[in-house]
Amino acid sequence: MDSRQSCFEGVWYNPSEQAIWNSPRLKVYVAPVNIDYIKAGFPKEAPALAAQFRAELQKDIRNVLENKSKQTGGRMKWQLVDRPVPGAVALNLAIVRLKPTDVGGNIMSDLVSLVSPLPGTSLILGRFMSGDVGIEGRLSNTNTGAAIMEFKAYNTDPITLFSVKELERFAFDQRNLRLFSSCIADIFKAGPASNIPQTGEFDLNPF
């Protein structure tokens, strides 16, 4: 898989919608992030994480689109818009899974590792205390409503010893969402890579 899509667990491109990547003029809309799957468990944190994720996406995608225009001498002028308009592509995303890091558990696993004679104790315990975050997304044609691409990505906390981020419940989730944002934005640099195997369309939970 191309490095631009390497952070995704699954990617599907609609073969009949690939001409969009050669459009000289294109508008890109990033919709508010869906949090229906996580807001019940995190009523305060979910809206904040979703707003932060969308802001990161808008910033990253805007930078990619502006650089694309500069690199092509304005031949391909793609721009970010604040609402869906005819002839645009709409990016819809959802955070479908969220588990914060168990701060107290991580601290205890580190302390246990200091007195345990078994090597790797902290790493084993830390795995159970780790958080994770999952997203699903769809890029669609606003004229027809047809899906251009679909993707899903899931990430678990990296296993570390005595990380400062272990003291922040959502620090790793925020880091992973920033990683997802960068990967999604990179797709707009050149569209899908030719070496990505075409897969069947998969069902996305929130769409």
Side-chain angles (χ1 to χ4, degrees):
M1 180 175 288
D2 185 275
S3 61
R4 288 178 293 112
Q5 284 92 15
S6 62
C7 73
F8 299 132
E9 294 290 324
V11 178
W12 172 80
Y13 290 98
N14 185 344
S16 64
E17 290 286 333
Q18 296 311 292
I20 199 81
W21 302 109
N22 297 317
S23 302
R25 298 288 184 272
L26 189 68
K27 298 184 188 326
V28 180
Y29 168 67
V30 179
V33 176
N34 181 311
I35 55 173
D36 289 350
Y37 281 75
I38 63 169
K39 66 181 180 182
F42 306 98
K44 294 182 179 179
E45 298 92 339
L49 284 172
Q52 183 180 13
F53 185 29
R54 188 189 187 205
E56 290 283 345
L57 282 161
Q58 290 174 315
K59 180 187 71 175
D60 289 345
I61 292 175
R62 181 181 289 109
N63 288 339
V64 167
L65 300 186
E66 290 177 352
N67 288 336
K68 190 182 191 79
S69 180
K70 292 177 182 176
Q71 291 168 0
T72 61
R75 181 177 59 84
M76 298 186 76
K77 189 172 180 61
W78 293 9
Q79 65 182 107
L80 191 71
V81 294
D82 59 6
R83 60 187 178 86
V85 295
V89 295
L91 178 63
N92 291 92
L93 290 125
I95 302 176
V96 296
R97 188 169 71 196
L98 183 66
K99 177 189 172 189
T101 301
D102 185 335
V103 177
N106 268 333
I107 293 174
M108 286 302 298
S109 70
D110 287 341
L111 292 176
V112 168
S113 71
L114 294 177
V115 298
S116 173
L118 299 176
T121 302
S122 180
L123 298 184
I124 295 172
L125 292 175
R127 175 62 70 185
F128 293 100
M129 311 303 173
S130 295
D132 59 42
V133 61
I135 64 166
E136 296 185 1
R138 171 177 290 162
L139 190 67
S140 58
N141 186 325
T142 59
N143 281 347
T144 64
I148 299 167
M149 69 168 289
E150 296 179 344
F151 55 87
K152 53 187 176 180
Y154 305 98
N155 248 351
T156 301
D157 292 355
I159 296 300
T160 58
L161 293 177
F162 300 106
S163 168
V164 173
K165 290 187 179 298
E166 290 178 350
L167 303 179
E168 302 173 32
R169 293 181 71 224
F170 292 94
F172 281 126
D173 294 323
Q174 291 172 325
R175 191 208 68 164
N176 284 327
L177 289 174
R178 286 194 293 271
L179 171 64
F180 294 156
S181 176
S182 178
C183 288
I184 294 167
D186 280 352
I187 291 174
F188 291 93
K189 288 183 178 179
S194 60
N195 63 331
I196 294 180
Q198 292 294 321
T199 62
E201 184 176 7
F202 46 81
D203 292 329
L204 298 178
N205 292 333
F207 305 112

